[in-house]
Amino acid sequence: MFNPFKRRTFLQAVVAVAATTTFGCSDDDSTDASAGSPYFPQSLASGDPRPDSVVVWVRVEDKDRAGDDLPLRLEVSPTEDFKTLVLDKKDLTARAEHDHAVKVKVTGLSARTTYYYRFSYEKDGQKHTTRTARTRTAPAAGDDVPVKFVFASCQDFIGRYYNTWQRLLQLDEDLDFVVFLGDYVYETTGDTSFQSGEGGRAVRFSEPEAALPQGTGMTAFLAANSLSNYRDLYKTVRTDKQLQAVHERYPFIIVWDDHEFSDDCWQDVATYEDGKKDETQRDRKLNAEQAFLEYIPLDTVQSPEGAIDVASEPRFPNSRIYRDFEYGKHLKLLVTDYRSYRPDHLIPEDAYPGGVVLDEMLLGAALQGQPDAVKQTFQADAFAYVDIDDPAYAAQKQVLQGVYLSQAKAAGLTDKDAAVKMAAWVKGPVALFYVNQVLAAVKKELVIAPAGKPRGLAYAHMGKAALFNIQGSRYVVVKDTFDLFAAVNFQLSKGKSEDVFGPEQEAWFQQTLATATNTWKMVVSSTSLSALIWDFRQQADITDPTLRQRFYFSVDQWDGFPTKKKVMLNALKKDVSNTVFISGDIHASFASVEEGVPTLTAPAITSGSIKSLASLALIGAGYATGAPVYQHAVTEMDQTLMKSNPGLRFADTDSHGFVVMEVKADETLATFHLIPASEVAKDYSKRADSELEAKFTAKTFRVKNSDIQPA
């Protein structure tokens, strides 16, 4: 999730519209063991548990042999003392080409059984051993057993501490697994718009010259670009003792979101430049995927027993991390991939605000069947447009082109690039709502009268107020006009404009749900399905009529594909019983029913909460904390969101935490464990357990009969 308030133009856009241990050798070893931690700085982890298998992971680091492949041994046992081994694999190799990280598929295991595992590395006759970790396999298909798991997301490392993971360790829940919903790492080294440096934690690239420079002056930072950059992210994050301990205790099921590659990305395209230039970055995307596959204990190709060949795992554009898991009779888990196949955001960041996207004919067709009052709304002068290429408007076009060039060059474009974009955008149908404001500021006599002109829908009517900007494109978009525009595009493109999953994942998704007989079908989505709406239509204290509309908070999540979202949810409501979505990304907690389908959103482990980011932005823009917009958008954010979406049962926009799910035959309980976001820069690992416990609250909800209610 991007910080939607990074730029000070936010309001302008809206107004426009643990200690290490060593374990001894088994009986057949003649060497002595020594402290293994220096050689295993990221500890170890497991993932993708199935009834008869699990993936275990480790990375060994020997600086004396940095360029060599290194020998490893893996021991797996049903007992913590390792007196009985179900696997003793002595021929593993940690390859230098994969940063000495190893994933091993362990098979032939018993269903729903706890296993202990450890790796060891021998050097100069001395055996160095990891800590002992435990994992658990899934129950067998059809087993009538409850299932308990945690889901969480977004663990920014810079300036923040993993107190949330520490709390999970305190609770010592008897979990089957942990679902991590994405943003396992953040690709930037210190983006001051959302990453704090106050907590004393930082990410430093070993090859900074290979990274992408971002920002300027005091706000300069780096974004990961090379393979070594991305590996550094994982190596740094996984040195955290709390995160290590959680991995050592529970198997993880992990999916990526955007920050594993690039903020607000789609396919292999980044969005840092907001449309100023093409940001298709295939090599960077492949580097990001390789580091992810090296460091995350998952199996993308249903590998046989033994070391997983990371080099053979499919990569973009053929990536496949979507997969499903069966947990006995009551749970089918579908892990979806929101980022790899989705199309671009519907409103381009470089869109010309005056550009008409639905002309008179398309708008008329779209309004068929709508109430007369809605049709009448679009007959207002604000929707008038003209063809700026008409010779009658030559003078106006010249002014608009000049203003565009000036704004584009001020944004950093070269004369040549600005001219190319000007020619592409300042042409054809343009909305008078926007261009008359430009003309009035330059030469009032050139303002065009709207009377008698056709009516249409432009980017400006959806909140786009400036060039090369996220407001009115990815964030703070006028809901009603955006929904109309999206629906027309969906129909004209036969659904391709909102094809989130891509054809192969869509087919898997439909088939898996259609054939699942489990009581509950839970869909993992990295981004939230809870509709986040600011409805200011009835706010009498907001006097500007252009503000008194409904706005989507973010259209980088599922709100950005409203037609597909509605079609998908309605189909699930009709054809699939007990579907529940679990998601993250948005740095807030939500429980809602969307189109009759329950959806739960976990808060961030760390990172900035929505509420804190909004507050900083509005104050920075000059709005006092007592201003009506501040009151509704920040002070009363939870209440505003809940009033604006009748399906919302719970909202907390200023806490971090995780959600514990208890899946039963007749109901599912979801418990949000929450800590105020203000505690994130404090390191509670150095304090008494009682201090952290006192900061947490828990809220439980019951999911039953397609509804969510407080338990």
Side-chain angles (χ1 to χ4, degrees):
M1 173 205 170
F2 186 73
N3 172 2
F5 308 101
K6 179 176 180 180
R7 294 161 175 79
R8 293 169 66 89
T9 53
F10 160 61
L11 256 298
Q12 296 168 355
V14 178
V15 172
V17 260
T20 62
T21 58
T22 303
F23 292 89
C25 307
S26 51
D27 294 339
D28 62 340
D29 282 303
S30 58
T31 55
D32 294 327
S34 63
S37 55
Y39 294 98
F40 301 99
Q42 284 77 36
S43 191
L44 66 174
S46 69
D48 279 16
R50 298 185 185 278
D52 62 349
S53 69
V54 69
V55 176
V56 296
W57 177 95
V58 78
R59 176 178 177 270
V60 59
E61 183 177 287
D62 186 344
K63 294 179 181 178
D64 296 331
R65 303 177 63 189
D68 297 342
D69 293 343
L70 304 176
L72 283 178
R73 177 183 180 182
L74 167 64
E75 298 167 277
V76 182
S77 173
T79 59
E80 194 170 2
D81 59 14
F82 287 90
K83 289 184 177 179
T84 302
L85 298 179
V86 297
L87 178 66
D88 187 4
K89 195 165 183 60
K90 301 178 180 179
D91 59 350
L92 291 172
T93 301
R95 301 192 182 281
E97 65 179 305
H98 293 304
D99 210 21
H100 298 109
V102 178
K103 296 190 296 187
V104 183
K105 179 83 167 281
V106 182
T107 62
L109 302 177
S110 299
R112 209 174 207 193
T113 301
T114 295
Y115 289 93
Y116 300 86
Y117 63 100
R118 64 188 181 190
F119 289 86
S120 57
Y121 167 56
E122 187 172 312
K123 180 181 180 182
D124 299 330
Q126 190 78 7
K127 180 181 177 183
H128 306 275
T129 308
T130 63
R131 292 194 283 265
T132 291
R134 73 185 190 194
T135 189
R136 176 185 285 181
T137 51
D143 281 0
D144 187 0
V145 293
V147 178
K148 181 185 285 191
F149 67 94
V150 156
F151 69 96
S153 72
C154 305
Q155 53 181 17
D156 189 12
F157 181 87
I158 295 177
R160 299 176 168 100
Y161 292 90
Y162 294 158
N163 301 317
T164 301
W165 286 134
Q166 183 179 344
R167 179 59 181 156
L168 178 58
L169 294 168
Q170 283 183 351
L171 293 174
D172 196 22
E173 294 275 7
D174 185 22
L175 303 178
D176 288 285
F177 56 92
V178 173
V179 173
F180 198 85
L181 299 144
D183 295 344
Y184 190 94
V185 295
Y186 280 68
E187 84 279 19
T188 51
T189 58
D191 182 347
T192 56
S193 68
F194 75 100
Q195 290 179 315
S196 168
E198 297 177 359
R201 305 224 296 185
V203 173
R204 294 177 177 85
F205 292 142
S206 57
E207 295 180 322
E209 69 279 3
L212 292 178
Q214 300 291 316
T216 58
M218 296 296 291
T219 62
F221 62 96
L222 297 175
N225 180 39
S226 69
L227 179 55
S228 73
N229 293 160
Y230 281 105
R231 285 170 170 169
D232 287 341
L233 299 175
Y234 291 93
K235 280 189 279 196
T236 302
V237 167
R238 288 271 273 275
T239 60
D240 181 88
K241 298 302 182 185
Q242 308 302 327
L243 179 57
Q244 286 183 359
V246 177
H247 273 296
E248 291 162 8
R249 188 170 298 189
Y250 305 116
F252 272 55
I253 296 172
I254 301 176
V255 68
W256 56 42
D257 190 38
D258 53 345
H259 285 287
E260 285 88 353
F261 165 45
S262 192
D263 175 50
D264 283 3
C265 60
W266 58 279
Q267 298 183 28
D268 60 344
V269 183
T271 60
Y272 297 133
E273 299 294 330
D274 293 331
K276 291 193 286 290
K277 65 180 183 181
D278 181 9
E279 290 187 86
T280 303
Q281 298 169 343
R282 179 65 59 91
D283 289 345
R284 183 177 179 230
K285 172 68 172 174
L286 294 175
N287 289 336
E289 287 193 350
Q290 178 163 335
F292 179 88
L293 294 173
E294 287 172 341
Y295 276 83
I296 298 300
L298 81 166
D299 178 19
T300 65
V301 292
Q302 293 299 291
S303 304
E305 184 276 334
I308 295 174
D309 182 8
V310 172
S312 70
E313 295 188 278
R315 308 292 170 82
F316 185 84
N318 301 310
S319 315
R320 177 165 178 169
I321 65 165
Y322 61 87
R323 57 210 193 276
D324 57 271
F325 297 85
E326 186 139 348
Y327 269 81
K329 179 179 180 179
H330 299 303
L331 177 61
K332 170 70 82 169
L333 192 74
L334 291 82
V335 181
T336 65
D337 181 353
Y338 179 85
R339 294 288 173 184
S340 295
Y341 317 102
R342 55 157 287 173
D344 194 359
H345 304 86
L346 293 180
I347 301 176
E349 292 89 347
D350 65 337
Y352 185 53
V356 173
V357 293
L358 299 182
D359 61 15
E360 186 175 40
M361 183 179 70
L362 285 175
L363 180 59
L367 292 174
Q368 289 294 319
Q370 293 291 329
D372 289 342
V374 174
K375 294 179 181 179
Q376 192 62 36
T377 297
F378 286 95
Q379 291 305 308
D381 287 349
F383 294 95
Y385 71 91
V386 298
D387 183 351
I388 204 65
D389 293 330
D390 188 321
Y393 304 118
Q396 286 91 341
K397 183 175 182 179
Q398 184 177 13
V399 170
L400 295 175
Q401 288 179 325
V403 171
Y404 186 101
L405 286 173
S406 177
Q407 292 177 338
K409 287 188 285 189
L413 273 68
T414 64
D415 289 352
K416 180 180 179 181
D417 289 344
V420 169
K421 282 194 172 286
M422 178 204 70
W425 284 109
V426 189
K427 65 178 184 180
V430 294
L432 298 184
F433 172 70
Y434 174 78
V435 302
N436 273 346
Q437 295 179 61
V438 177
L439 295 171
V442 177
K443 201 171 185 180
K444 288 184 179 180
E445 57 267 32
L446 292 180
V447 168
I448 303 169
K453 305 299 188 296
R455 269 41 178 170
L457 185 69
Y459 289 117
H461 299 126
M462 293 182 280
K464 193 73 167 66
L467 310 178
F468 317 119
N469 210 324
I470 59 173
Q471 280 80 37
S473 59
R474 304 202 306 269
Y475 296 91
V476 195
V477 169
V478 179
K479 179 187 186 302
D480 297 292
T481 47
F482 179 78
D483 285 349
L484 184 66
F485 168 62
V488 172
N489 268 3
F490 189 88
Q491 183 176 10
L492 293 176
S493 68
K494 298 182 179 179
K496 290 184 178 179
S497 61
E498 300 185 35
D499 187 10
V500 177
F501 290 151
E504 292 184 5
Q505 182 177 200
E506 182 71 32
W508 161 83
F509 182 72
Q510 298 289 350
Q511 178 68 15
T512 304
L513 284 171
T515 57
T517 58
N518 311 74
T519 306
W520 297 92
K521 279 69 67 174
M522 296 195 179
V523 182
V524 173
S525 170
S526 64
T527 65
S528 180
L529 283 91
S530 291
L532 304 183
I533 303 164
W534 288 338
D535 187 351
F536 298 143
R537 292 176 300 178
Q538 305 302 318
Q539 300 298 343
D541 54 350
I542 297 178
T543 56
D544 188 331
T546 59
L547 263 180
R548 296 177 69 175
Q549 301 188 73
R550 293 193 295 180
F551 297 89
Y552 280 129
F553 176 83
S554 167
V555 292
D556 182 58
Q557 63 172 35
W558 275 94
D559 282 345
F561 299 115
T563 322
K564 171 65 177 178
K565 174 183 169 182
K566 187 170 185 176
V567 169
M568 176 181 69
L569 292 176
N570 278 317
L572 293 177
K573 179 184 178 182
K574 177 177 179 290
D575 299 325
V576 183
S577 63
N578 289 333
T579 303
V580 179
F581 278 81
I582 59 175
S583 56
D585 175 64
I586 201 68
H587 303 180
S589 301
F590 300 108
S592 69
V593 178
E594 305 291 329
E595 303 291 341
V597 178
T599 180
L600 299 158
T601 303
I605 292 294
T606 55
S607 205
S609 71
I610 291 176
K611 195 167 189 176
S612 63
L613 295 171
S615 176
L616 290 172
L618 295 187
I619 292 172
Y623 285 81
T625 56
V629 169
Y630 188 99
Q631 289 294 307
H632 296 300
V634 180
T635 307
E636 301 170 1
M637 180 177 281
D638 294 354
Q639 298 92 318
T640 297
L641 291 174
M642 292 191 68
K643 288 178 182 177
S644 302
N645 177 4
L648 267 178
R649 306 289 191 261
F650 171 64
D652 186 324
T653 58
D654 201 24
S655 297
H656 298 317
F658 55 86
V659 184
V660 176
M661 297 286 280
E662 299 177 70
V663 182
K664 305 178 182 181
D666 59 340
E667 66 180 9
T668 289
L669 298 178
T671 302
F672 290 78
H673 292 266
L674 303 172
I675 183 173
S678 58
E679 301 296 316
V680 75
K682 302 174 185 177
D683 184 1
Y684 276 91
S685 69
K686 295 179 172 59
R687 305 186 183 195
D689 285 352
S690 58
E691 290 190 50
L692 181 61
E693 180 181 2
K695 295 294 183 181
F696 267 86
T697 58
K699 298 180 184 297
T700 302
F701 295 85
R702 177 174 285 106
V703 183
K704 190 172 185 177
N705 299 326
S706 299
D707 197 10
I708 299 176
Q709 293 295 335

